[in-house]
């Protein structure tokens, strides 16, 4: 039983150390795929064609706001 717990501990530590790297790798691959699609001029695969057009958000200045510029 001690041998099993030792193996389980080593595997858990390996997953704990390797999981952030694996998540980062997957994220980088997704970003690279999106950049390649953008260079080719293709529509994004994750965005539906019926998506609403984004609009520009303007910042308002609040003269009596809590933050003083």
């Amino acid at each position: 039983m001690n041998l099993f717990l030792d193996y389980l501990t080593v595997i858990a530590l390996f997953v704990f150390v390797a999981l952030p790297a694996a998540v980062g790798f997957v994220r980088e691959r997704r970003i690279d795929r999106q950049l390649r699609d953008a260079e080719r001029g293709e529509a994004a695969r994750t965005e539906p064609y019926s998506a609403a057009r984004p609009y520009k958000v303007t910042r308002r200045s609040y003269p009596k706001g809590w933050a003083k510029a």
Side-chain angles (χ1 to χ4, degrees):
M1 188 67 177
N2 282 338
L3 184 63
F4 172 73
L5 290 176
D6 289 342
Y7 280 135
L8 191 62
T9 302
V10 169
I11 291 171
L13 287 175
F14 178 75
V15 168
F16 182 71
V17 170
L19 188 63
V23 169
F25 179 72
V26 170
R27 182 174 180 233
E28 289 291 324
R29 293 277 308 246
R30 180 179 51 90
I31 292 171
D32 288 342
R33 185 173 51 244
Q34 289 175 348
L35 287 173
R36 265 195 319 270
D37 290 344
E39 284 179 354
R40 291 183 197 145
E42 297 175 5
R45 294 181 215 174
T46 59
E47 187 176 57
Y49 290 107
S50 64
R53 177 179 285 183
Y55 59 92
K56 185 176 180 181
V57 176
T58 58
R59 290 184 68 181
R60 297 185 208 169
S61 63
Y62 295 103
K64 300 202 180 220
W66 61 272
K68 299 188 183 209

